[in-house]
């Protein structure tokens, strides 16, 4: 097998893995967005502050829900 053919196959596999991960992240994001409206403001603030490094998608969904509820970014940071 030629070098370029092998390189092309590896690139295709890597690209497929990236697409699969993007789809999974999109699905998780949708699930988090659907989950957040049922949470209290204090729960959302806790998620924003505690989950930022472990689950940025979840923290972002909580942050967006708090903004939707009328809190400014400064208010959220101070919660």
């Amino acid at each position: 097998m030629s070098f370029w053919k092998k390189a092309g196959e590896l690139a295709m596999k890597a690209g497929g893995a990236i697409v699969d991960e993007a789809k999974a992240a999109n699905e998780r994001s949708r699930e988090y967005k659907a989950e957040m409206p049922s949470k209290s403001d204090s729960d959302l603030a806790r998620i924003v502050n505690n989950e930022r490094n472990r689950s940025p998608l979840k923290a972002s969904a909580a942050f967006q829900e708090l903004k939707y509820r009328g809190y400014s970014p400064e208010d959220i940071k101070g919660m």
Side-chain angles (χ1 to χ4, degrees), residues 35-66:
E35 175 186 330
M36 294 305 147
S38 66
K39 298 202 177 288
S40 69
D41 292 353
S42 60
D43 285 341
L44 292 170
R46 182 190 52 74
I47 290 168
V48 169
N49 292 323
N50 296 339
E51 300 286 333
R52 187 174 298 137
N53 293 330
R54 285 180 285 191
S55 180
L57 291 175
K58 189 173 188 178
S60 176
F63 186 85
Q64 292 302 320
E65 180 63 26
L66 285 169

Side-chain angles (χ1 to χ4, degrees), residues 12-30 32 54-57:
M12 292 291 286
K13 287 180 184 177
I18 291 169
V19 168
D20 291 343
E21 180 55 34
K23 287 179 183 177
N26 192 24
E27 181 60 31
R28 283 192 310 272
S29 181
R30 272 191 247 124
Y32 292 144
R54 285 180 285 191
S55 180
L57 291 175

